[in-house]
Amino acid sequence: MRCQDLDVMGRWWVLLCFVLRVLQWALTEAKEWSVTIPSEINVLTRSCVVIPCTFTHPPSHDPSHIIWYSYSGTKYPIVYSKRPQDVIEPFRGKTEFVGDVKSGNCSLKISHALPAMNEYQLYPWIDPDTVKHKFYHKTVKLKVQDTIPAVQLIVDGNPKEGETVHISCMVVHTCISSPPTLSFGDTSGDVQNNQTDLGQGYWRTESTISFPARASDQGRAVGCWVRHPGRQVAPTWVEVSVHYAPRSVHVSAENSTTLLGESVTLECRSDANPSSSTFLWYLQRDGSVRTLTAREDSITVTDLLHGQNSFYCMAQNVLGMANSSSPFIITVEYKPSISPESSCVIQGHALRCWCKVRSLPSASVEWTVDGTDAHAALSHVEMFSVRQNHTLSGELLFNKTVQHRTVTCRAFNGHGQQEHALLIKAPPQNVSISQRPLRVLEGQSLTLSCSSHAFPEVLSYSWYQVYQDREVQLSEGSDRLHLQVVGRHMGPYRCSARNEIGQSRSPSTLVCVDFAPVISPASSCTLENEQVRCECVVESYPLAAVTWTAPGVQTNRMVSMELSGSLKSTLTGHMWNGHDHLITCHAANKYGQISLQLTHKGSSDTSTSSLAAAGCGAAALVLLIAAILYCTQRRYGPRLKKSSPKNSNVALQVSACIRV
Ligand SMILES: *[C@@H]1O[C@H](CO)[C@@H](O)[C@H](O)[C@H]1NC(C)=O
Ligand SMILES: *[C@@H]1O[C@H](CO)[C@@H](O)[C@H](O)[C@H]1NC(C)=O
Ligand SMILES: *[C@@H]1O[C@H](CO)[C@@H](O)[C@H](O)[C@H]1NC(C)=O
Ligand SMILES: *[C@@H]1O[C@H](CO)[C@@H](O)[C@H](O)[C@H]1NC(C)=O
Ligand SMILES: *[C@@H]1O[C@H](CO)[C@@H](O)[C@H](O)[C@H]1NC(C)=O
Ligand SMILES: *[C@@H]1O[C@H](CO)[C@@H](O)[C@H](O)[C@H]1NC(C)=O
Ligand SMILES: *[C@@H]1O[C@H](CO)[C@@H](O)[C@H](O)[C@H]1NC(C)=O
């Protein structure tokens, strides 16, 4: 039945007819001829290719041989036959049957693909002499190219230090009999090669190199060189990434020198993969290590100290941590500062001055004496200086010829200068005693204080009581001497002050005690030719007012004279009738009064004296005498010197107590 004839039978018949034809064709093909080949295959010029091919045939047919043709509308050009002379160019001598006819394998090998073979469509024909099946309906198109197939170079995972790095280099090809060779250049390691059949005529050559991961391999470029038959291509590169804990941790900064008060920015650098993400900072000063609060890789430090500041840092990533092995030292420079201890000391005839200067860089020192440069001011001057750490100790030595030299030390470096007037160290000067309270009545208590001008300061005081021929130490240490019950007999006292240079003494000093008047028993009158002259000597403090009672005496003159703290009142006059008259001397101050009837000297009458104590009346005769003795001793101090000339070591210059 012919389908073209079915017009009259209507459209239903057309469809039925078509389905039947398809079924008939399918069954015939299944039972009979079929060829499986790729529709297209890419081949690198000069490489080989095995075109995979399988076929089925009707059970009744026993296949015996195969010929490969190039597809053509009009002819049957042979590309493979057992008779090489039948093969067309460019295939002659380059094709080879590698299949097995009996087992349905019709694979064809082209040993050397040429550009001229490009675009040829090939197909096999089994037993062409006898089989009429139209094999040319299925062809494989040859794509012969000069394009180098891409190379795949892969690092397996992210190896950690100590693990194994696997790097695979892969390339797809068609020539299993002479596959491309892969190599890794100078990278050494364990290499394994593998060929994988990808089907459709393609193969993959894979070469894997394995070596232990070292931190030094981080960032290393590994190349894969692929050599295809007859050609070498440029290598493909891959960078190896090895993960490792931080190493080579160190601190860095733009400048390791700075000026006091300025800030410095430090960075913690480390070699780590992945990069360090956590940081700790340490600052070492004076032997102790302090952890800073900053956690960043960069810090700005403002509170730097004089001299050297040592910084360390610690860097950490997921694999571990490490400290910087050596400190980063920031040297902080500063202008000179002169130690307040710098001073001068008198050594015999010489004045030795020294100036201690801290600075960085080390300072230079200039000396001035009385405002003039030391070299110009002095004819003989010696100067030394010693530099140690950041301290310069300068020394100046010269003969002290003028009493009050001012010595100045000036220190300077590139950052500034400082000047310091040096104090002269000497034993304490102007040691003196003062009393408190200033006014104290006999029997009360008082405190003596010892003061002085001293540099360096006084370390200790001593108190002495001064006797005619010796001094007795009363106390040591305190600048105070407390006297519980004072009497006019106490003292004199002396204090001495001692500093590191030496010691000096105060003059011997009396205490100032207030007391009621006492009249010296030596007070008397003389009478000559009816002229009377009476002297009344009164001891008191404060000074007493002296008055006289002289009945029957015509007073000519009455004078009072103060003499070394005691008062001498003199009365002169004419005495009537030649009679004995009672002449009385009266003395009074705020503490009491006293009267004494004076005897006449130079008369033949028996002397009488009587004591008339009034008001205070407290002064007993014994006390009176003692007081007079005492007063004599203290008011006429210099006279004592004469009485004990042998005691030259006891300074007997007694100063009176000082009243203000
Ligand atoms: C056909 O023969 C080729 C060459 O000998 C071989 O590589 C291939 O594996 C065979 N194909 C089958 C399906 O056996
Ligand atoms: C070759 O590669 C294939 C697929 O990747 C794998 O299955 C096979 O084990 C490998 N052979 C060798 C010897 O490495
Ligand atoms: C480092 O600091 C010093 C002192 O402040 C300065 O003289 C020098 O120029 C600085 N150097 C640099 C490279 O900044
Ligand atoms: C780093 O140094 C600090 C201070 O010396 C120390 O406390 C710390 O343990 C060190 N850390 C490491 C990882 O060595
Ligand atoms: C100080 O004077 C003494 C003697 O007067 C002399 O021997 C000495 O060399 C002088 N020293 C200096 C530093 O001038
Ligand atoms: C100088 O430094 C050293 C050690 O660095 C130290 O032993 C010495 O005491 C220092 N000297 C002074 C005067 O500070
Ligand atoms: C000691 O006293 C004298 C005289 O009053 C005075 O010139 C001198 O400056 C005083 N000395 C000191 C160190 O105060």
Side-chain angles (χ1 to χ4, degrees):
M1 187 168 69
R2 288 166 53 113
C3 286
Q4 293 93 315
D5 302 334
L6 291 177
D7 278 346
V8 287
M9 297 176 73
R11 288 184 176 186
W12 191 88
W13 285 108
V14 170
L15 187 61
L16 182 67
C17 177
F18 177 75
V19 168
L20 286 173
R21 284 296 297 269
V22 167
L23 274 174
Q24 180 195 6
W25 176 80
L27 287 170
T28 311
E29 287 301 301
K31 287 175 186 163
E32 301 194 348
W33 297 103
S34 93
V35 172
T36 305
I37 47 171
S39 59
E40 189 175 281
I41 192 158
N42 291 302
V43 189
L44 182 63
T45 317
R46 295 201 289 275
S47 182
C48 81
V49 58
V50 174
I51 301 169
C53 176
T54 54
F55 67 93
T56 57
H57 56 87
S60 54
H61 187 88
D62 186 21
S64 67
H65 77 280
I66 289 172
I67 291 180
W68 278 75
Y69 296 94
S70 164
Y71 181 85
S72 159
T74 51
K75 293 185 271 180
Y76 296 93
I78 294 170
V79 296
Y80 165 73
S81 156
K82 275 187 177 158
R83 288 156 35 102
Q85 63 271 30
D86 296 343
V87 176
I88 61 159
E89 285 297 350
F91 295 95
R92 187 177 296 166
K94 309 227 166 40
T95 51
E96 182 188 347
F97 180 70
V98 292
D100 174 22
V101 181
K102 299 293 177 212
S103 60
N105 189 337
C106 47
S107 301
L108 177 74
K109 179 178 175 181
I110 301 171
S111 59
H112 194 84
L114 294 172
M117 297 172 184
N118 194 28
E119 297 291 331
Y120 273 85
Q121 288 172 273
L122 310 183
Y123 60 93
W125 199 310
I126 293 100
D127 297 328
D129 319 330
T130 52
V131 178
K132 294 300 168 209
H133 177 77
K134 297 184 174 88
F135 285 93
Y136 47 78
H137 284 310
K138 201 168 211 181
T139 62
V140 53
K141 187 189 267 183
L142 285 181
K143 291 275 195 183
V144 181
Q145 297 165 333
D146 219 12
T147 312
I148 306 296
V151 174
Q152 248 188 309
L153 186 58
I154 296 167
V155 182
D156 183 19
N158 277 318
K160 292 174 191 164
E161 187 176 18
E163 293 179 348
T164 304
V165 191
H166 299 283
I167 300 172
S168 299
C169 187
M170 290 163 276
V171 68
V172 174
H173 65 97
T174 55
C175 189
I176 187 64
S177 62
S178 175
T181 56
L182 310 182
S183 71
F184 293 96
D186 59 0
T187 304
S188 54
D190 192 14
V191 178
Q192 287 211 323
N193 295 307
N194 194 356
Q195 301 287 346
T196 308
D197 188 353
L198 301 177
Q200 304 285 301
Y202 296 112
W203 292 81
R204 185 176 66 212
T205 291
E206 181 175 348
S207 187
T208 302
I209 188 165
S210 306
F211 54 88
R214 290 161 309 187
S216 56
D217 292 324
Q218 163 58 21
R220 169 179 179 177
V222 172
C224 176
W225 281 258
V226 178
R227 180 189 286 276
H228 291 279
R231 71 173 75 212
Q232 171 76 51
V233 287
T236 304
W237 296 94
V238 73
E239 201 172 273
V240 181
S241 174
V242 176
H243 282 190
Y244 52 94
R247 60 182 60 209
S248 312
V249 180
H250 65 280
V251 179
S252 82
E254 229 175 70
N255 205 336
S256 64
T257 302
T258 187
L259 202 56
L260 189 67
E262 289 186 355
S263 61
V264 169
T265 298
L266 302 168
E267 274 180 63
C268 186
R269 302 256 170 92
S270 62
D271 174 13
N273 192 22
S275 297
S276 303
S277 52
T278 307
F279 301 87
L280 265 184
W281 289 88
Y282 305 99
L283 170 54
Q284 187 178 31
R285 268 178 193 165
D286 308 326
S288 68
V289 177
R290 182 159 72 94
T291 306
L292 305 182
T293 50
R295 294 288 179 273
E296 294 79 42
D297 61 338
S298 171
I299 59 166
T300 298
V301 191
T302 50
D303 59 338
L304 291 164
L305 291 188
H306 297 83
Q308 302 199 324
N309 298 258
S310 303
F311 288 90
Y312 294 86
C313 73
M314 190 207 77
Q316 184 176 10
N317 71 2
V318 288
L319 295 180
M321 59 182 78
N323 273 344
S324 53
S325 54
S326 55
F328 184 83
I329 298 171
I330 296 219
T331 304
V332 177
E333 298 195 339
Y334 51 96
K335 64 177 190 180
S337 89
I338 300 175
S339 158
E341 307 152 26
S342 302
S343 58
C344 298
V345 65
I346 297 164
Q347 287 184 345
H349 291 293
L351 191 58
R352 183 182 291 272
C353 298
W354 68 91
C355 194
K356 203 168 161 191
V357 186
R358 269 192 84 191
S359 70
L360 200 66
S362 190
S364 299
V365 165
E366 274 179 10
W367 297 91
T368 46
V369 176
D370 295 336
T372 316
D373 176 74
H375 282 293
L378 308 160
S379 51
H380 287 97
V381 60
E382 291 171 31
M383 289 180 192
F384 318 93
S385 61
V386 179
R387 288 182 160 84
Q388 192 178 29
N389 297 355
H390 304 145
T391 305
L392 170 130
S393 297
E395 203 170 313
L396 176 74
L397 183 66
F398 62 96
N399 274 359
K400 185 173 153 62
T401 52
V402 181
Q403 196 56 35
H404 296 291
R405 294 261 191 209
T406 61
V407 179
T408 306
C409 159
R410 188 176 82 91
F412 56 95
N413 69 4
H415 303 304
Q417 65 148 342
Q418 199 187 25
E419 207 170 88
H420 189 69
L422 305 182
L423 289 169
I424 297 173
K425 283 187 178 179
Q429 287 175 35
N430 295 2
V431 183
S432 65
I433 295 174
S434 61
Q435 81 172 50
R436 191 161 292 267
L438 279 172
R439 303 203 76 100
V440 59
L441 195 58
E442 255 180 304
Q444 294 180 333
S445 64
L446 63 72
T447 302
L448 299 179
S449 302
C450 189
S451 59
S452 66
H453 295 109
F455 179 79
E457 64 185 17
V458 172
L459 298 172
S460 161
Y461 294 90
S462 302
W463 286 92
Y464 302 90
Q465 177 144 16
V466 182
Y467 292 100
Q468 244 175 295
D469 55 351
R470 68 207 151 95
E471 287 182 353
V472 173
Q473 185 168 356
L474 301 175
S475 71
E476 187 169 6
S478 172
D479 62 335
R480 302 286 166 91
L481 182 67
H482 190 68
L483 302 174
Q484 199 57 47
V485 181
V486 291
R488 273 172 276 162
H489 303 289
M490 296 176 81
Y493 297 100
R494 190 201 292 287
C495 73
S496 83
R498 183 170 57 79
N499 68 4
E500 71 181 54
I501 307 299
Q503 75 171 29
S504 307
R505 295 136 50 94
S506 72
S508 54
T509 306
L510 292 160
V511 292
C512 294
V513 182
D514 285 5
F515 54 96
V518 288
I519 298 174
S520 162
S523 302
S524 62
C525 294
T526 51
L527 184 62
E528 249 175 63
N529 302 328
E530 296 188 331
Q531 291 298 312
V532 68
R533 178 190 166 85
C534 296
E535 280 184 3
C536 184
V537 177
V538 180
E539 191 77 16
S540 71
Y541 208 91
L543 280 181
V546 176
T547 54
W548 295 87
T549 317
V553 174
Q554 189 189 351
T555 307
N556 289 344
R557 218 155 62 96
M558 205 179 79
V559 286
S560 290
M561 205 173 91
E562 199 192 332
L563 186 72
S564 296
S566 62
L567 191 72
K568 186 161 108 183
S569 183
T570 312
L571 175 105
T572 52
H574 181 78
M575 188 173 275
W576 302 101
N577 305 333
H579 278 286
D580 255 5
H581 294 281
L582 296 175
I583 299 174
T584 310
C585 168
H586 310 276
N589 72 1
K590 64 195 241 190
Y591 298 111
Q593 53 181 308
I594 194 165
S595 301
L596 184 69
Q597 207 172 64
L598 302 184
T599 54
H600 301 190
K601 282 179 184 166
S603 80
S604 52
D605 295 348
T606 51
S607 312
T608 55
S609 77
S610 67
L611 181 70
C616 81
L621 187 63
V622 176
L623 185 62
L624 182 75
I625 292 163
I628 289 162
L629 278 174
Y630 163 70
C631 286
T632 313
Q633 188 185 29
R634 77 174 184 165
R635 302 296 172 191
Y636 305 97
R639 267 180 15 209
L640 293 172
K641 212 171 195 172
K642 276 184 238 154
S643 66
S644 58
K646 51 189 172 289
N647 278 308
S648 54
N649 61 330
V650 179
L652 289 167
Q653 184 202 347
V654 179
S655 51
C657 77
I658 299 152
R659 299 275 187 179
V660 180

PDB file of all heavy atoms in Angstrom, residues 569-580:
ATOM      1  N   SER A 569      70.621 103.138 141.719  1.00  0.00           N
ATOM      2  CA  SER A 569      70.060 104.460 141.981  1.00  0.00           C
ATOM      3  C   SER A 569      70.977 105.165 142.994  1.00  0.00           C
ATOM      4  O   SER A 569      71.360 104.572 144.005  1.00  0.00           O
ATOM      5  CB  SER A 569      68.639 104.310 142.540  1.00  0.00           C
ATOM      6  OG  SER A 569      68.061 105.572 142.735  1.00  0.00           O
ATOM      7  N   THR A 570      71.349 106.394 142.690  1.00  0.00           N
ATOM      8  CA  THR A 570      72.266 107.128 143.565  1.00  0.00           C
ATOM      9  C   THR A 570      71.558 108.385 144.087  1.00  0.00           C
ATOM     10  O   THR A 570      70.908 109.104 143.313  1.00  0.00           O
ATOM     11  CB  THR A 570      73.531 107.537 142.786  1.00  0.00           C
ATOM     12  OG1 THR A 570      74.008 106.399 142.095  1.00  0.00           O
ATOM     13  CG2 THR A 570      74.597 108.079 143.724  1.00  0.00           C
ATOM     14  N   LEU A 571      71.674 108.566 145.400  1.00  0.00           N
ATOM     15  CA  LEU A 571      71.076 109.747 146.043  1.00  0.00           C
ATOM     16  C   LEU A 571      72.212 110.555 146.698  1.00  0.00           C
ATOM     17  O   LEU A 571      73.050 110.004 147.398  1.00  0.00           O
ATOM     18  CB  LEU A 571      70.076 109.297 147.118  1.00  0.00           C
ATOM     19  CG  LEU A 571      69.456 110.405 147.956  1.00  0.00           C
ATOM     20  CD1 LEU A 571      68.016 110.647 147.524  1.00  0.00           C
ATOM     21  CD2 LEU A 571      69.501 110.030 149.420  1.00  0.00           C
ATOM     22  N   THR A 572      72.287 111.836 146.408  1.00  0.00           N
ATOM     23  CA  THR A 572      73.267 112.692 147.093  1.00  0.00           C
ATOM     24  C   THR A 572      72.518 113.869 147.727  1.00  0.00           C
ATOM     25  O   THR A 572      71.526 114.353 147.156  1.00  0.00           O
ATOM     26  CB  THR A 572      74.336 113.228 146.116  1.00  0.00           C
ATOM     27  OG1 THR A 572      73.685 113.836 145.008  1.00  0.00           O
ATOM     28  CG2 THR A 572      75.268 112.147 145.615  1.00  0.00           C
ATOM     29  N   GLY A 573      72.987 114.269 148.904  1.00  0.00           N
ATOM     30  CA  GLY A 573      72.304 115.391 149.571  1.00  0.00           C
ATOM     31  C   GLY A 573      73.080 115.893 150.812  1.00  0.00           C
ATOM     32  O   GLY A 573      74.171 115.404 151.136  1.00  0.00           O
ATOM     33  N   HIS A 574      72.507 116.859 151.457  1.00  0.00           N
ATOM     34  CA  HIS A 574      73.096 117.444 152.678  1.00  0.00           C
ATOM     35  C   HIS A 574      72.314 116.939 153.888  1.00  0.00           C
ATOM     36  O   HIS A 574      71.094 116.955 153.905  1.00  0.00           O
ATOM     37  CB  HIS A 574      73.012 118.978 152.596  1.00  0.00           C
ATOM     38  CG  HIS A 574      73.589 119.674 153.764  1.00  0.00           C
ATOM     39  ND1 HIS A 574      74.968 119.851 153.940  1.00  0.00           N
ATOM     40  CD2 HIS A 574      73.022 120.272 154.867  1.00  0.00           C
ATOM     41  CE1 HIS A 574      75.192 120.495 155.065  1.00  0.00           C
ATOM     42  NE2 HIS A 574      74.012 120.763 155.671  1.00  0.00           N
ATOM     43  N   MET A 575      73.058 116.505 154.866  1.00  0.00           N
ATOM     44  CA  MET A 575      72.405 115.943 156.046  1.00  0.00           C
ATOM     45  C   MET A 575      72.490 116.969 157.179  1.00  0.00           C
ATOM     46  O   MET A 575      73.566 117.470 157.521  1.00  0.00           O
ATOM     47  CB  MET A 575      73.095 114.625 156.446  1.00  0.00           C
ATOM     48  CG  MET A 575      72.349 113.894 157.530  1.00  0.00           C
ATOM     49  SD  MET A 575      73.079 112.297 157.815  1.00  0.00           S
ATOM     50  CE  MET A 575      72.294 111.352 156.593  1.00  0.00           C
ATOM     51  N   TRP A 576      71.352 117.326 157.645  1.00  0.00           N
ATOM     52  CA  TRP A 576      71.264 118.309 158.730  1.00  0.00           C
ATOM     53  C   TRP A 576      71.603 117.706 160.072  1.00  0.00           C
ATOM     54  O   TRP A 576      71.477 116.517 160.270  1.00  0.00           O
ATOM     55  CB  TRP A 576      69.852 118.910 158.781  1.00  0.00           C
ATOM     56  CG  TRP A 576      69.434 119.576 157.497  1.00  0.00           C
ATOM     57  CD1 TRP A 576      68.642 119.108 156.553  1.00  0.00           C
ATOM     58  CD2 TRP A 576      69.852 120.855 157.109  1.00  0.00           C
ATOM     59  NE1 TRP A 576      68.478 119.980 155.526  1.00  0.00           N
ATOM     60  CE2 TRP A 576      69.248 121.113 155.854  1.00  0.00           C
ATOM     61  CE3 TRP A 576      70.730 121.876 157.659  1.00  0.00           C
ATOM     62  CZ2 TRP A 576      69.447 122.320 155.164  1.00  0.00           C
ATOM     63  CZ3 TRP A 576      70.874 123.053 156.959  1.00  0.00           C
ATOM     64  CH2 TRP A 576      70.255 123.262 155.713  1.00  0.00           C
ATOM     65  N   ASN A 577      72.047 118.593 160.995  1.00  0.00           N
ATOM     66  CA  ASN A 577      72.207 118.308 162.422  1.00  0.00           C
ATOM     67  C   ASN A 577      73.243 117.249 162.730  1.00  0.00           C
ATOM     68  O   ASN A 577      73.519 116.956 163.881  1.00  0.00           O
ATOM     69  CB  ASN A 577      70.889 117.849 163.069  1.00  0.00           C
ATOM     70  CG  ASN A 577      69.771 118.834 162.862  1.00  0.00           C
ATOM     71  OD1 ASN A 577      70.027 120.044 162.703  1.00  0.00           O
ATOM     72  ND2 ASN A 577      68.558 118.366 162.845  1.00  0.00           N
ATOM     73  N   GLY A 578      73.805 116.666 161.748  1.00  0.00           N
ATOM     74  CA  GLY A 578      74.778 115.610 161.996  1.00  0.00           C
ATOM     75  C   GLY A 578      74.160 114.400 162.643  1.00  0.00           C
ATOM     76  O   GLY A 578      74.834 113.508 163.102  1.00  0.00           O
ATOM     77  N   HIS A 579      72.851 114.379 162.667  1.00  0.00           N
ATOM     78  CA  HIS A 579      72.163 113.224 163.246  1.00  0.00           C
ATOM     79  C   HIS A 579      72.100 112.058 162.292  1.00  0.00           C
ATOM     80  O   HIS A 579      72.162 112.251 161.098  1.00  0.00           O
ATOM     81  CB  HIS A 579      70.719 113.619 163.622  1.00  0.00           C
ATOM     82  CG  HIS A 579      70.633 114.316 164.925  1.00  0.00           C
ATOM     83  ND1 HIS A 579      70.773 113.705 166.152  1.00  0.00           N
ATOM     84  CD2 HIS A 579      70.429 115.637 165.223  1.00  0.00           C
ATOM     85  CE1 HIS A 579      70.665 114.596 167.120  1.00  0.00           C
ATOM     86  NE2 HIS A 579      70.457 115.813 166.582  1.00  0.00           N
ATOM     87  N   ASP A 580      71.996 110.955 162.923  1.00  0.00           N
ATOM     88  CA  ASP A 580      71.734 109.761 162.107  1.00  0.00           C
ATOM     89  C   ASP A 580      70.317 109.822 161.576  1.00  0.00           C
ATOM     90  O   ASP A 580      69.389 110.113 162.331  1.00  0.00           O
ATOM     91  CB  ASP A 580      71.880 108.489 162.963  1.00  0.00           C
ATOM     92  CG  ASP A 580      73.168 107.794 162.639  1.00  0.00           C
ATOM     93  OD1 ASP A 580      73.970 108.342 161.836  1.00  0.00           O
ATOM     94  OD2 ASP A 580      73.361 106.688 163.149  1.00  0.00           O
TER      95      ASP A 580
END
